[in-house]
Amino acid sequence: MAHKFTFYNTLTRKVEEFIPREEGKVSMYTCGPTVYHYAHIGNIRTYIMQDALIKSLKYAGFDVKRVMNITDVGHLSSDADTGEDKMLAGAKREHKTVMEIAKFYTDAFFNDFDAVGNMRPDVVEPATNCIPEFIHMVETLLEKGFAYVAGGNVYFDTSKLNDYYVFSSEVEKEQLQVGVRDDVEEDTNKKNKTDFVLWFTKSKFEDQALKWDSPWGVGYPGWHIECSCISMKHLGEFIDIHCGGVDNIFPHHTNEIAQSESYLGHEWCKYWFHSNHLNDKSGKMSKSKGAILTVSLLKEKGYDPLVYRFFCLQSHYRKPLEFSYEALDQSVQAYNKLVRRVSELKNDGAVDEAVKTEFEEKFTDAVSNDLNTSMAVTVLYDALKADTNDATKLALVESFDKVLSLDLVAHAKSLLEGTEVDPELEKYILDAIQRRTDAKKAKDFATADAIRAELLEKGVEIKDTREGVKWQLI
Ligand code: AMP
Ligand code: ZN
C-alpha cells in the first residue's frame, strides 16, 4: 500500500490527498520544452521539481508512468496564437532548417535535464511525430460541433463550454476576460475572443516551413492540440496528474482541458501540478529575452549542476524562487559540507533497521506533505546528526538520494580518492579560460596562446568546442 500523498491541485485550489484511478499506479503527463532555443535554468527548475514529485511518489510506493512532448511546431511567439512560429524564428536566427534547430536544442535540453539528476520520462514524443492523431482529434471536434472553420483555419469554439476558465476564481475570470479583450493582435476569424486555433492553413504571418496535408488544406497544428493527443496516445483516455509551470495554466492547460474533454465526453485529468517560476533580479527568466543562463553555462563557470538541483530543492515548488550567484554560492558551501560529512562516515557494522525505518518515515512524511523538499533535506541533516552508527547513516543517505538525487555518496568517494578537483585549482582554470576568451575577442592572439601554454604547463589541456571551452587534467 502506498503512503498517503498530498499536493496542491490547481483545479480544486486545495492541497488534496492524491488518489489515482488505479490503486498504486500513476499516469503522468508533462508539457515538454519548445525547442527553438536553450532551456534556461528556470525551465530546468520546473523539471527538477517534477522529478522530485515523481521520485517522491515512487518513494511513497506508487508506480509512475510519465509521458512528455517536445514542441517542435506550432508554438507562436504569443501564447494567444499570434506572431511568428517560434521554431521558424529560431531557424532564421541561426540559418538552419527547423528540423536541425529542433534536433540541436532537444539534445541540449536533455544534456542539462540529465546533468541535474533528472530521470528521463518513459515516453518522449515530438509533436511532428503525431500529425495524423492531431487531424483525427480536430475532425472529431468539428463533428461534435465544438470547432468551426473560418478563413481557412480551424478554431475551437469556447462558447460551447459551460465553464471555459476551469482554473480560475470568479474574480480572476473577470480579469482574464478583460485581458483577452485587450489582446491587440485581433484575429477577426474568431467568433469569441477566447477561441483558439486547432489547425492553421492561413497564418497572417510568414509562411511556415513545416506543413502537412489535412482535410482543411495544407497547414500545421495549433500549439495546444499536441499535449492532448500525445497524452491520449500513450496514456489512454484518463491521466492522473498533469504537470507544468504556472505560465502554462492559462491559456495552454485551459485549452488542453477544453479540447480533451470535449473530444472524450468526460473528465480527463483530476490533478494539476504547477510549479512556480525562477526569477532573476530583473524579473521572470525568459527564453525570448536576450542572453540565456543555462545549466551548461553554470557548469562552465565551475558550478556542479547538482548544486543547482540542491538550490532548487531547498525552496518550495509553489513559491517563486529568486536566482543570484550569491545564493548559489551558499548552496555550494552547504553541498560541499554535506559531501565532506558523508565522506567521514565509516562502514562500521550492521544497519539499525528500526532507526532507518523511523527516518525513512519522516522523509516520506515530508515529501508527501505537498512536496516539502526543504523539509526532506532537513530530515537528511537530522539523520546525519542522529544517535546511531555510521552504517545506518550511510544507508539513509542512499535511501534519501532516491528522491534527492544529489549523488552524495559518489561525490564523497571521489573526495576521498582525491579525484575531485581542488576548488582553488578549478577557480584558477576557469579564470584563465575567461582571460583567454577575452584576449581572443580583442584579437590579442599572442596573449590567448600564452594562456593556453600556461595552462598546459600546469597540466591542464583546453579544447574549443561548439558548446564552449572544455578542459581536462592531463
Ligand atoms: P517552454 O520551453 O517555454 O515551453 O517551457 C518549458 C517549461 O518551463 C514549461 O513547463 C514552462 O511552464 C516552464 N517555465 C517557463 N519559464 C519558467 C521560469 N522562469 N521558471 C520556471 N519554469 C519556467
Ligand atoms: Zn502542454
Side-chain angles (χ1 to χ4, degrees), residues 29 31 69 227 242 252-253 256:
Y29 185 83
C31 291
N69 66 305
C227 291
H242 195 308
H252 184 50
H253 288 167
E256 277 189 38

Side-chain angles (χ1 to χ4, degrees), residues 380-425:
L380 168 67
Y381 281 116
D382 289 347
L384 288 170
K385 277 187 284 186
D387 185 15
T388 187
N389 66 350
D390 282 3
T392 309
K393 292 181 186 181
L394 262 178
L396 281 167
V397 171
E398 278 181 337
S399 169
F400 299 162
D401 219 45
K402 287 182 198 152
V403 174
L404 303 176
S405 297
L406 295 172
D407 223 4
L408 294 170
V409 173
H411 275 68
K413 208 164 154 250
S414 316
L415 192 69
L416 287 176
E417 287 166 357
T419 46
E420 198 106 316
V421 178
D422 173 5
E424 286 288 304
L425 174 64

Side-chain angles (χ1 to χ4, degrees), residues 32-34 40 42-43 46-47 245 247-248 277-278 284-285 287:
T34 310
H40 54 62
N43 302 124
T46 288
Y47 296 109
D247 58 305
N248 288 149
H277 279 165
L278 180 83
K284 191 191 129 183
M285 290 205 175
K287 278 192 207 181

Side-chain angles (χ1 to χ4, degrees), residues 146 168 313 339 416 472:
F146 286 106
S168 317
L313 292 178
V339 171
L416 287 176
Q472 62 176 20

Side-chain angles (χ1 to χ4, degrees), residues 327-338:
L328 191 63
D329 285 338
Q330 280 173 13
S331 292
V332 172
Q333 303 264 327
Y335 184 82
N336 288 346
K337 234 168 139 176
L338 257 178

Side-chain angles (χ1 to χ4, degrees), residues 30-47 50 71 75 86 109 223 243-249 253 275-279 283-287:
T30 302
C31 291
T34 310
V35 284
Y36 68 105
H37 218 318
Y38 292 110
H40 54 62
I41 58 171
N43 302 124
I44 296 295
R45 177 194 185 195
T46 288
Y47 296 109
Q50 291 172 2
T71 300
H75 193 173
K86 291 185 177 185
F109 169 75
W223 172 37
C243 307
V246 284
D247 58 305
N248 288 149
I249 298 173
H253 288 167
S275 44
N276 215 316
H277 279 165
L278 180 83
N279 305 310
K284 191 191 129 183
M285 290 205 175
S286 152
K287 278 192 207 181

Side-chain angles (χ1 to χ4, degrees), residues 302-318:
Y303 292 98
D304 185 328
L306 294 181
V307 167
Y308 179 62
R309 182 182 181 94
F310 189 46
F311 169 75
C312 291
L313 292 178
Q314 280 169 304
S315 85
H316 196 254
Y317 76 95
R318 278 203 280 141

